[in-house]
Structure formats: structure tokens, C-alpha cells
Amino acid sequence: VDRLKTQIGERNNRLLEIEKEIANYQNELKKVGSEKKTLQSAIGQLELERKKISADLSYTENKIGFTDLEISKINLEIESTEQDINQNKNAIGEIIDRLAENDRETLLEVMLRHQNLSEFWGAISTLENLRGAMGNEVKKLASLKLLLEEKRDEQRGKRDKLLDLKDEYSGQKEVLENNKSEKDRLLKQTKNKESNYQTILAAKQKARAEI
């Protein structure tokens, strides 16, 4: 009887030890479970932020492409305006040459070439009016060119800002991806720890049942 009492006491003591170990592992499992939930939540949040940054980055890249097209369009308009200016200048030069040539003609030459002087002076007046009109057109085109160049510079400024914003978004995306990778690694470790605790806990519960 005494020997049995001793054995029973020893088993009770071992049971108490195992119960204590089981309680400790259960507490650890709760902590690990809480850590796992926290990490999963953090990973979910990081993934949402990464998707938002990716969308912002895509939008910014599209804006840059749109701005490039705007700049190309303005450059073509500037080239077209320059061509119009040159054409008008050339036409004005021809008119000036015609007027200079008329100025060099003597009255006799004028009378021989034209049936009457009114026709001659009418032609001169037409050339003068045309030169004035074309001069005004050149001024308008020059003003238009200046406006287009200002608009182009403005678009280039926008493009530079968009490029800076793109770099900023790219940096943020890289940081988020690195953070997510780190959290994924920690989550994997936590899951392994949880699995190990569950295995040990099952073994302790089996030992308690055997005792």
C-alpha cells in the first residue's frame, strides 16, 4: 500500500508538472495566434497600400504619356506656325521687290506698260495693302508662336513634376513590397512556431492521458 501511495504521489506530481507545461504551451499558442492574426492583418493592409500605389503609379505613367503627346502636338503646331511665318515673310519680300522695281520705273516706262496711270496706281495701292495685311498676319503668327512656346514650356514643367511623382511612387512601392516580404517571412516563422507548439502540446496531452 505504501509503495502504491508513493507511486500515486509521483504520478500526481508528474501530472501537475504536465498540466503546468500544457497551460504554458496553451498560453504560448494564444500569443502566437494573436501574433499571426496581427501579421496577417498587417500583410493585408500592406497589400492594399501596394495596390493603391500601383494604381497611382499607373495613372501617373499614363499622365506622362498624355503630356508627351501634348508636347509633340504643340511642337508640330509651332513648326507649322514657323512655316506660315516664313511663307508670309517671303511673300512680303516679293511684294517689296515689286514695289522697289516700280519705284525705279520712269514715268514713260509706266505709261508704256499701263494703258492709264490710274491702273498703275491701283496696282501699287493693292500691293501696299497686301504688304500691310501680310505684315499684320506675321505679327499674329509671331504672337501665336510665342503662346505655343509658353504652353509647351508649361507642359514640360508638368512632365518634370509627373516624373518626380512617378519616382516617389516607385520608391513607396518598393518599400511596401520589402515590408510585405518581411511580414511574410515573419508570418511563416510564426506559423512554424505555432505548428511546433501544437505538436508539443498534443504530446503533453497524450502523456497526461497515459498517466
Side-chain angles (χ1 to χ4, degrees), residues 49-65:
E49 290 178 9
R50 189 191 68 80
K51 286 180 179 178
K52 181 185 178 300
I53 289 294
S54 294
D56 288 335
L57 186 58
S58 178
Y59 176 80
T60 304
E61 287 172 345
N62 281 318
K63 286 282 286 182
I64 290 170

Side-chain angles (χ1 to χ4, degrees), residues 34-183:
S34 178
E35 287 176 12
K36 185 174 76 172
K37 286 181 181 178
T38 302
L39 284 169
Q40 286 173 334
S41 176
I43 288 169
Q45 182 67 28
L46 285 169
E47 181 61 17
L48 285 174
E49 290 178 9
R50 189 191 68 80
K51 286 180 179 178
K52 181 185 178 300
I53 289 294
S54 294
D56 288 335
L57 186 58
S58 178
Y59 176 80
T60 304
E61 287 172 345
N62 281 318
K63 286 282 286 182
I64 290 170
F66 174 80
T67 307
D68 285 339
L69 291 174
E70 281 288 315
I71 291 170
S72 297
K73 174 175 166 288
I74 292 169
N75 282 332
L76 287 174
E77 290 173 347
I78 289 171
E79 287 178 13
S80 176
T81 304
E82 286 175 343
Q83 288 175 0
D84 290 343
I85 289 172
N86 290 331
Q87 286 176 359
N88 279 278
K89 283 182 176 179
N90 290 335
I92 290 171
E94 291 177 6
I95 292 170
I96 290 171
D97 290 341
R98 290 272 301 277
L99 289 170
E101 184 181 336
N102 289 330
D103 287 341
R104 287 193 296 270
E105 286 184 340
T106 64
L107 183 60
L108 180 60
E109 289 173 332
V110 170
M111 292 178 67
L112 288 173
R113 278 203 312 114
H114 300 277
Q115 292 181 355
N116 53 60
L117 286 176
S118 61
E119 181 186 335
F120 171 74
W121 292 119
I124 294 292
S125 178
T126 300
L127 287 172
E128 288 285 0
N129 290 336
L130 186 57
R131 183 177 68 170
M134 296 189 81
N136 290 333
E137 185 64 21
V138 167
K139 289 178 182 177
K140 288 179 184 177
L141 288 169
S143 297
L144 176 60
K145 182 188 174 188
L146 184 61
L147 287 173
L148 288 169
E149 287 173 342
E150 289 175 355
K151 189 176 178 182
R152 180 186 61 189
D153 292 341
E154 182 184 343
Q155 291 295 325
R156 284 175 175 172
K158 285 182 182 178
R159 187 179 187 277
D160 290 340
K161 288 180 181 178
L162 286 168
L163 286 172
D164 290 340
L165 189 60
K166 179 187 173 184
D167 290 340
E168 183 181 336
Y169 283 144
S170 296
Q172 289 178 5
K173 184 181 178 185
E174 185 178 353
V175 169
L176 287 169
E177 286 174 346
N178 291 337
N179 287 344
K180 184 176 179 294
S181 296
E182 178 63 17
K183 291 288 190 294

